[in-house]
Amino acid sequence: MSKENEYREIFLAEAVESHEELNRLITELEKKPDDNKPVDAIFRITHTLKGNASGMGFKTIADFAHVVEDIFSAIREKKLALDEQIFSSLFKSIDVLGDLIHSVKTGAKVQYRGIKTKLEVILKSLKEGEQSAPEDNEEANSNTDPSTKDHSITTVSNQNRIAPSDHAANTVQKESMSEPEPEENAKIIFSDHVQVPVRKLDNLLNLVGELVIERDRIIGLNAENMGGNEYSRLNRISSDLQYSVMDVRLVQVSFLFNKFHRIVRDTANQENKSVSLTLKGTETEIDRNILQIISDSLIHLIRNAIGHGIESIVDRKNAGKPAEGHLTLKAISESDAVIIDVSDDGRGVDAQKIREKAIQKGILTEAEAKNFSDDDIVLMIFEPGFSTADNISEISGRGVGMDVVKKALDSIGGTISINTHKGVGTTFSLRIPASMAVKGTLLFELKNITYAIPLSYTEAVLSIHKKDIYKVSNGLVTSHLGKTIPLVFLKDIFELSYANLVNESKILHKTYDRTSAEKALNIVIVSYNSRVMGIAVDKLLQQKEIVEKPLSKPFDNSKMINGVTILGNGHVCPVLNVATLFNLIFIRNYTNKKN
């Protein structure tokens, strides 16, 4: 990569971070218009952004940031009063500034002249007012901070372009020319932090994964010809390297959480509701790629909580609640996972309304619906297209529901659960892996092939006999911890296509019917989205941390296999897709009930 492109990536990383901070600060300022701290912070950020953009030759961004900087200079000097119309223009200008930054990467055309002209008219009217009152103007000039003067470079040739950090240093040098000369023994101080593009970390992690797989293969092939500690140093160093690279990829969830202040503000205004947001556990760390994958899911949950959960101001007052609704976004670390809770103090999920929708859609009969607990009924909101919205709006009712959230979590081996109380509120809990690089698994054998099942889904392993299993309709059940749970022989699932499993009856009885009463059966108890199931396999092996690789074409459409890894013996080990297994079994149940 050329130096110019590298500087461009650094600029974009800094600019995107600056824009996110501007969104947070402007939302904070709207709540406390008399607070000078957000105003000063926004002024400093736009001033720096203007200089960095100018140094890179992005004149449109520099000019636009300059106008926004001047607006906030006027605000902090008390020349411009903040009101609803001004805030509307400020929010719009920050949105446009974000679009301009994004266009550096995408090349998209951004309509910015309208809001820029509007801000310039405001500044011009302020200037004309100063000219009509020279005494006031003189006093204002005497109080102006010299650091607010514009030292940005307006034109920079390709040969003389400098990195944003170099430009910042150059600007500081210009601004301090009138100060005393530094001592001769002054030292240049370097930052302890460097910015690295994510693609470089992804490539490094991929190489480390390949190294770990090759290490296990070599150790496995030479196990019989070496002592127990022959490769212990190689094993330790490669493992330390792997976890060090994983640690570099971790970011605090505040990186994502801080974006939601603006989202909550905009969604609440759109719904004509009053909603506040509290963030907890923002220092919790998680893999950046995972955070990116779940970002849309969290946006959907938050918008859903405001649109569906939190009542209108009138309804809240009638229910004896504060007029302002409250959202809480909380993250906590738990072993090798992160739990993210999205909580609201709204009306709660109406289980009876979901029952009625399930009957209306033909998923359940009236008799079956009565036998389902409220907890089981509520889980139906994750079914594709299942919505209880009566009216179509920008927030809900467009046929895109919670199934989108569930699919995103399935793709990374995460789960979601619901805790809701009518009239009190709802909490959606997302359990997601802290990292996708290394996955703890349980190895098992089926028809002489070794498979892996993620430990995040594994509850227990059992050894039972045929007499402990019972036929029920077209399936099988057994008992675990005093509860009746469904059970499947994985061999039956793998021998049939998805369509056959849904339509053909008695399929799940085949291996059971051929099994002798005396044979001990190996069962893995797995859980997914508050449901529990037993899986019968041929042989249980061991727990092992693996580096999972995605399936390549044409095998990437396999429903039951999520990915593969390479074992120490060099054999390919498929990783079972537990989410698909659960969905397949329950879709079959629903289909049979409808038929």
Side-chain angles (χ1 to χ4, degrees):
M1 178 182 288
S2 67
K3 282 293 180 183
E4 185 172 344
N5 286 336
E6 200 164 315
Y7 291 152
R8 183 170 171 270
E9 284 194 0
I10 294 173
F11 166 78
L12 282 173
E14 292 180 350
V16 168
E17 186 176 344
S18 295
H19 180 252
E20 290 169 359
E21 183 66 2
L22 288 175
N23 261 322
R24 186 187 70 80
L25 289 167
I26 191 65
T27 307
E28 180 182 322
L29 180 62
E30 187 184 39
K31 295 177 181 177
K32 299 178 181 179
D34 297 328
D35 191 350
N36 292 327
K37 290 182 180 179
V39 175
D40 292 338
I42 293 172
F43 175 83
R44 287 193 298 269
I45 291 172
T46 52
H47 179 74
T48 302
L49 181 59
K50 174 192 70 176
N52 289 348
S54 182
M56 288 297 297
F58 300 135
K59 190 174 184 302
T60 301
I61 298 176
D63 290 347
F64 194 88
H66 192 172
V67 175
V68 178
E69 176 194 10
D70 287 346
I71 286 288
F72 277 92
S73 176
I75 293 172
R76 75 173 188 164
E77 292 170 10
K78 307 301 181 184
K79 296 176 183 177
L80 178 62
L82 290 169
D83 56 27
E84 187 175 342
Q85 290 185 344
I86 292 296
F87 268 117
S88 178
S89 297
L90 294 179
F91 275 106
K92 176 65 175 177
S93 65
I94 289 175
D95 286 342
V96 170
L97 188 57
D99 292 340
L100 288 171
I101 293 169
H102 190 62
S103 70
V104 172
K105 186 175 183 179
T106 64
K109 291 184 179 180
V110 179
Q111 302 295 330
Y112 68 93
R113 297 187 185 279
I115 184 63
K116 183 171 181 283
T117 301
K118 188 174 184 179
L119 297 181
E120 289 171 339
V121 168
I122 294 173
L123 291 170
K124 185 178 180 182
S125 64
L126 292 176
K127 188 175 181 180
E128 290 174 350
E130 289 175 356
Q131 291 173 348
S132 64
E135 296 84 0
D136 294 340
N137 187 48
E138 183 178 359
E139 182 180 350
N141 288 334
S142 66
N143 291 327
T144 302
D145 188 344
S147 66
T148 63
K149 294 179 180 179
D150 182 12
H151 297 287
S152 61
I153 304 172
T154 54
T155 57
V156 180
S157 65
N158 290 335
Q159 291 80 6
N160 294 325
R161 282 186 184 174
I162 54 177
S165 55
D166 294 335
H167 179 270
N170 192 36
T171 302
V172 172
Q173 184 180 5
K174 286 184 179 181
E175 292 178 351
S176 44
M177 289 180 70
S178 61
E179 296 177 8
E181 291 295 322
E183 298 180 9
E184 292 184 3
N185 61 351
K187 296 181 179 180
I188 296 175
I189 300 175
F190 287 90
S191 171
D192 291 333
H193 299 276
V194 294
Q195 290 181 321
V196 180
V198 175
R199 59 175 177 77
K200 290 187 177 182
L201 291 178
D202 289 342
N203 184 54
L204 181 59
L205 186 64
N206 184 61
L207 290 173
V208 172
E210 296 288 345
L211 174 64
V212 171
I213 291 173
E214 190 64 16
R215 175 203 67 188
D216 290 347
R217 188 186 69 83
I218 293 172
I219 293 176
L221 291 175
N222 295 278
E224 297 179 357
N225 303 321
M226 65 181 184
N229 297 323
E230 185 79 21
Y231 288 107
S232 60
R233 181 171 170 79
L234 171 63
N235 191 62
R236 179 177 59 81
I237 292 175
S238 56
S239 293
D240 288 347
L241 176 61
Q242 182 180 29
Y243 282 98
S244 295
V245 174
M246 287 167 55
D247 187 60
V248 172
R249 289 167 54 91
L250 296 178
V251 296
Q252 293 188 345
V253 295
S254 59
F255 180 78
L256 174 62
F257 280 14
N258 286 330
K259 302 174 188 287
F260 292 117
H261 288 288
R262 176 69 188 275
I263 291 172
V264 169
R265 180 259 181 197
D266 289 349
T267 307
N269 283 354
Q270 189 176 348
E271 292 283 297
N272 295 317
K273 296 177 180 179
S274 177
V275 183
S276 62
L277 174 65
T278 298
L279 304 180
K280 295 182 179 180
T282 54
E283 70 285 352
T284 303
E285 292 186 323
I286 191 171
D287 189 292
R288 184 191 181 278
N289 282 11
I290 293 179
L291 205 61
Q292 186 173 8
I293 290 170
I294 67 166
S295 60
D296 286 345
S297 296
L298 288 177
I299 291 173
H300 186 88
L301 288 172
I302 286 174
R303 288 168 61 86
N304 182 77
I306 298 173
H308 278 294
I310 294 177
E311 310 92 334
S312 66
I313 294 176
V314 173
D315 288 344
R316 290 182 66 86
K317 287 182 177 179
N318 291 338
K321 293 182 175 183
E324 183 178 65
H326 191 71
L327 275 175
T328 301
L329 197 56
K330 180 176 73 173
I332 57 173
S333 293
E334 186 178 288
S335 185
D336 58 349
V338 172
I339 311 297
I340 296 180
D341 290 343
V342 181
S343 305
D344 67 71
D345 65 347
R347 59 173 59 93
V349 180
D350 190 339
Q352 183 55 36
K353 192 171 185 179
I354 295 176
R355 272 193 179 87
E356 294 170 0
K357 282 286 183 179
I359 296 170
Q360 179 184 331
K361 290 177 176 287
I363 295 176
L364 298 173
T365 65
E366 290 189 23
E368 289 168 338
K370 290 179 181 179
N371 293 327
F372 272 64
S373 68
D374 285 353
D375 290 340
D376 288 335
I377 284 290
V378 167
L379 290 174
M380 289 188 176
I381 66 174
F382 295 114
E383 297 301 322
F386 193 97
S387 175
T388 58
D390 295 321
N391 300 311
I392 293 177
S393 71
E394 292 296 324
I395 307 300
S396 59
R398 294 187 177 274
V400 179
M402 289 296 179
D403 61 306
V404 175
V405 176
K406 188 163 76 73
K407 285 178 181 177
L409 292 171
D410 289 348
S411 70
I412 57 173
T415 60
I416 185 169
S417 60
I418 310 173
N419 183 14
T420 185
H421 299 281
K422 193 172 181 178
V424 178
T426 302
T427 296
F428 288 91
S429 292
L430 286 67
R431 182 184 179 89
I432 51 183
S435 173
M436 292 176 64
V438 174
K439 182 175 291 186
T441 63
L442 173 67
L443 300 184
F444 65 88
E445 197 173 277
L446 191 71
K447 298 181 69 174
N448 298 320
I449 297 176
T450 300
Y451 293 85
I453 183 170
L455 287 177
S456 57
Y457 297 113
T458 306
E459 295 287 324
V461 293
L462 305 175
S463 179
I464 63 176
H465 291 83
K466 186 174 181 178
K467 64 182 178 60
D468 300 316
I469 304 174
Y470 306 93
K471 290 183 178 180
V472 177
S473 183
N474 294 326
L476 302 169
V477 297
T478 189
S479 179
H480 176 61
L481 299 179
K483 293 185 178 180
T484 300
I485 63 170
L487 182 142
V488 295
F489 283 82
L490 198 57
K491 193 178 298 183
D492 293 337
I493 305 295
F494 281 178
E495 287 178 352
L496 297 158
S497 68
Y498 184 88
N500 284 339
L501 181 62
V502 172
N503 298 320
E504 190 179 331
S505 63
K506 307 297 182 182
I507 287 176
L508 301 183
H509 294 170
K510 285 189 175 181
T511 302
Y512 172 84
D513 290 337
R514 295 195 299 260
T515 302
S516 64
E518 296 78 20
K519 184 179 180 181
L521 300 171
N522 296 303
I523 309 296
V524 183
I525 304 297
V526 292
S527 64
Y528 172 74
N529 281 352
S530 302
R531 292 174 173 140
V532 180
M533 179 191 299
I535 302 174
V537 300
D538 291 348
K539 186 179 180 181
L540 296 172
L541 300 175
Q542 67 187 72
Q543 290 187 21
K544 181 175 177 60
E545 287 191 339
I546 66 168
V547 178
E548 184 179 345
K549 298 291 183 180
L551 292 170
S552 58
K553 293 182 178 180
F555 306 106
D556 54 341
N557 289 325
S558 174
K559 295 181 180 296
M560 293 305 303
I561 303 302
N562 196 56
V564 295
T565 190
I566 307 297
L567 300 178
N569 57 13
H571 293 169
V572 174
C573 173
V575 181
L576 187 67
N577 190 326
V578 175
T580 297
L581 178 61
F582 269 85
N583 292 337
L584 184 147
I585 296 300
F586 281 95
I587 286 174
R588 175 180 182 272
N589 289 340
Y590 288 152
T591 304
N592 288 337
K593 286 171 183 175
K594 288 172 69 174
N595 292 337

